[in-house]
Amino acid sequence: MMSTTSILGIIVMLLQSSISAAIRIQPLAFCHVKQLSRFHKGSRLQLNRILFDTSEIDKSDASVCASRQESGTDETPMATVTLPKDDYRTVHIAKILGLKNGDSVRAGTVINTSDEERDKFAGLLTDDATITWLPEGKIKKAEPTKNGDPPGSLCISIPQPPKTYLSTPSRNEGWDDDAPKVSLLLALPRPLQLSRILPMVSQLGVDQLILTNAMKVPKDYFGSHIFRKPEVLRGLLVEGLAQSGDVRLPNVHVAKRLKVFIEDELDELFPPDEVARVIAHPQRRDIDGREVGPVPLRMTDVEFPNSDTRRLLVAVGLLKSLPK
């Protein structure tokens, strides 16, 4: 199997490339991408947007009243979220951002576009959420302590429109409508590698992720805790969204049998007359360093069958596993 570096490098290069053209592929076209010898490893997690699940929205008005009293404003927030003292977002706001009462923070609520019934607060986006510290115990000052620890729990108030808007398919304010929808068909890597890849997948804006078996994928990989515990998988995806500032979760589909998926589901999910389908595979070289194999097709040479929808399916790690 390809290494984590190769897989991540290919994903980054594919999704950050400027894609302007399209080729009809029957069933798939070959795209050769040079492997990256190194991949930049980030340090600590930087939350560019504080994200919440809709289940975290306060149901009572108690925290709303506290927020209004502390911030000195008569405007009733659209919603409020109260985070405990030891929550990683509370710690980040105190230690990294060092925010005080009344300061603004970028916030949003996660949305899964595949959900048939959506919460009314799903997909909210704002750059003007305000914070209110709620001191606990012996701490009286409503601000981070001298060593940067939170003084207590944290109330975040999401303002009323127009400072807050909804990210939905019918309203895409703030999003690039010209960007193609990219789906990723990925041979399932080792669980440790997968845990590193999932945040990057959501961070780079992948619309749909299909994880499948391949020639060298052991069956026990599908028994990973990532699949047994949906909250773990969701948490890894949210981690990537928080870094990119997006709120839309990728749809994740697990296909344990690649052949069955290609024969029964591929054309239904990704019709060849609507979706450009490509295989990303590193260019092979001989012992002398000369390129061998088919003439590479660059991503900029790929054309979209349907210029209105501009959908792209990229397959990674499946070249030797596809039926002839």
Side-chain angles (χ1 to χ4, degrees):
M1 287 187 62
M2 300 168 64
S3 65
T4 304
T5 300
S6 301
I7 295 175
L8 296 180
I10 286 175
I11 293 174
V12 171
M13 293 180 67
L14 288 173
L15 300 182
Q16 293 183 341
S17 297
S18 58
I19 305 172
S20 58
I23 248 181
R24 272 194 201 183
I25 305 181
Q26 297 292 340
L28 298 166
F30 289 87
C31 282
H32 295 276
V33 183
K34 293 183 178 179
Q35 297 191 47
L36 296 181
S37 58
R38 296 189 220 167
F39 190 82
H40 177 68
K41 295 182 178 179
S43 52
R44 61 190 175 194
L45 175 66
Q46 297 297 324
L47 302 180
N48 293 320
R49 188 178 296 278
I50 305 298
L51 296 183
F52 318 107
D53 193 84
T54 53
S55 62
E56 295 180 290
I57 300 290
D58 292 326
K59 304 302 181 184
S60 66
D61 295 334
S63 60
V64 175
C65 296
S67 175
R68 293 176 61 190
Q69 181 179 2
E70 292 291 341
S71 60
T73 178
D74 294 330
E75 180 182 354
T76 302
M78 183 177 184
T80 62
V81 178
T82 303
L83 301 176
K85 181 178 181 179
D86 58 351
D87 189 276
Y88 73 96
R89 293 160 293 187
T90 305
V91 174
H92 180 85
I93 289 175
K95 270 191 178 300
I96 307 301
L97 301 181
L99 299 183
K100 300 180 179 179
N101 279 2
D103 287 345
S104 297
V105 66
R106 301 178 71 201
T109 54
V110 174
I111 182 172
N112 191 334
T113 55
S114 65
D115 291 343
E116 295 182 0
E117 296 183 4
R118 298 177 188 167
D119 190 284
K120 64 178 181 179
F121 292 118
L124 294 180
L125 278 167
T126 181
D127 291 342
D128 298 293
T130 56
I131 71 162
T132 304
W133 290 108
L134 306 175
E136 298 175 357
K138 297 181 180 181
I139 301 178
K140 302 301 179 183
K141 284 189 176 181
E143 60 183 39
T145 61
K146 292 182 180 180
N147 60 358
D149 292 332
S153 54
L154 177 66
C155 179
I156 299 180
S157 302
I158 300 175
Q160 298 283 352
K163 291 183 178 181
T164 299
Y165 62 90
L166 190 62
S167 171
T168 65
S170 60
R171 179 171 180 178
N172 291 319
E173 294 181 19
W175 308 109
D176 185 3
D177 292 336
D178 294 330
K181 289 187 176 181
V182 179
S183 299
L184 180 62
L185 178 59
L186 180 66
L188 183 63
R190 289 184 299 169
L192 180 60
Q193 294 173 330
L194 180 62
S195 65
R196 297 169 181 169
I197 292 173
L198 286 174
M200 295 191 63
V201 167
S202 59
Q203 182 181 358
L204 292 169
V206 170
D207 181 63
Q208 187 166 0
L209 172 65
I210 301 97
L211 297 168
T212 184
N213 72 331
M215 184 180 294
K216 296 184 179 180
V217 175
K219 292 182 179 180
D220 58 357
Y221 283 6
F222 290 96
S224 166
H225 70 288
I226 296 177
F227 300 116
R228 295 198 311 270
K229 299 179 179 179
E231 66 275 10
V232 174
L233 188 147
R234 183 182 176 90
L236 292 170
L237 295 174
V238 171
E239 178 185 322
L241 292 181
Q243 295 180 66
S244 65
D246 199 349
V247 295
R248 295 170 294 183
L249 281 170
N251 298 322
V252 180
H253 177 68
V254 177
K256 294 184 179 181
R257 299 175 63 186
L258 177 61
K259 184 177 180 181
V260 173
F261 173 79
I262 291 177
E263 294 176 351
D264 299 342
E265 301 181 57
L266 180 63
D267 287 344
E268 181 180 349
L269 294 173
F270 307 100
D273 57 341
E274 297 180 10
V275 184
R277 308 190 300 193
V278 301
I279 295 176
H281 190 72
Q283 174 65 55
R284 291 188 293 271
R285 297 177 180 273
D286 60 19
I287 193 171
D288 297 323
R290 292 173 296 189
E291 295 181 354
V292 297
V295 177
L297 175 67
R298 295 181 179 275
M299 289 301 297
T300 51
D301 296 329
V302 175
E303 297 181 357
F304 294 95
N306 190 328
S307 58
D308 295 330
T309 56
R310 300 188 70 207
R311 295 176 61 196
L312 175 67
L313 172 65
V314 181
V316 178
L318 300 173
L319 180 60
K320 294 183 180 180
S321 305
L322 294 172
K324 303 298 183 183

